[in-house]
Amino acid sequence: MESQDLRKAGLKVTLPRLKVLEILETSPQRHLSAEDVYKALLEMGEEIGLATVYRVLTQFEGAGLVSRLNIDGGHAVFELEDGEHHDHLFCVKCNRIIEFYDEVIEERQKAIAKANGFEMTDHSLYIYGFCNRDDCEKDR
């Protein structure tokens, strides 16, 4: 994504928007909280406040550049919107997020909507549980 993508989304190109976008694009972690973005900006030597980060992420969400995932009773993480639908598994122990896509689940959801006289326009599936990875260390 580049500055012209911000313009296409109807957003003025500003330094905070460009820097937040840079963090989202270059982070090895795909799902970032506003606090994660803020910390990364501080590490880059950028003096952009946390309130500005929240505002920029909310603007990006409104423009369709990012998706917000609400986890942990109100805690939100953001991911760049790439146009590819996927669902999420959340480990409630270590907060790991795993993306997946399953055609059977997708078709079943469409069938359920249709059987109930409902025209589905979008959906999101979040599965919460515990991962079984050895490096899942939270609350051991």
Side-chain angles (χ1 to χ4, degrees), residues 93-106:
K93 191 172 173 184
C94 69
N95 294 326
R96 175 176 281 121
I97 301 171
I98 300 167
E99 296 178 353
F100 72 95
Y101 177 83
D102 184 289
E103 187 61 37
V104 173
I105 291 173
E106 297 302 314

Side-chain angles (χ1 to χ4, degrees), residues 110-125:
K110 289 175 190 171
I112 291 168
K114 185 176 180 180
N116 286 282
F118 195 82
E119 182 181 335
M120 184 169 64
T121 58
D122 195 11
H123 80 277
S124 57
L125 175 64

Side-chain angles (χ1 to χ4, degrees), residues 19-25 27-42 48-58 60-61 66-72 74-80 90 94-95 97:
K19 291 299 180 181
V20 169
L21 189 57
E22 180 182 344
I23 297 297
L24 292 170
E25 290 177 327
S27 173
Q29 187 179 341
R30 181 163 159 80
H31 304 91
L32 298 169
S33 68
E35 293 81 6
D36 294 331
V37 173
Y38 174 68
K39 288 175 191 169
L41 289 167
L42 288 177
I48 298 171
L50 182 57
T52 300
V53 172
Y54 273 106
R55 187 169 48 256
V56 167
L57 288 170
T58 300
F60 283 5
E61 180 186 16
V66 300
S67 295
R68 176 191 306 250
L69 308 172
N70 294 309
I71 58 173
D72 263 354
H75 179 73
V77 294
F78 298 84
E79 65 181 337
L80 279 175
F90 291 104
C94 69
N95 294 326
I97 301 171

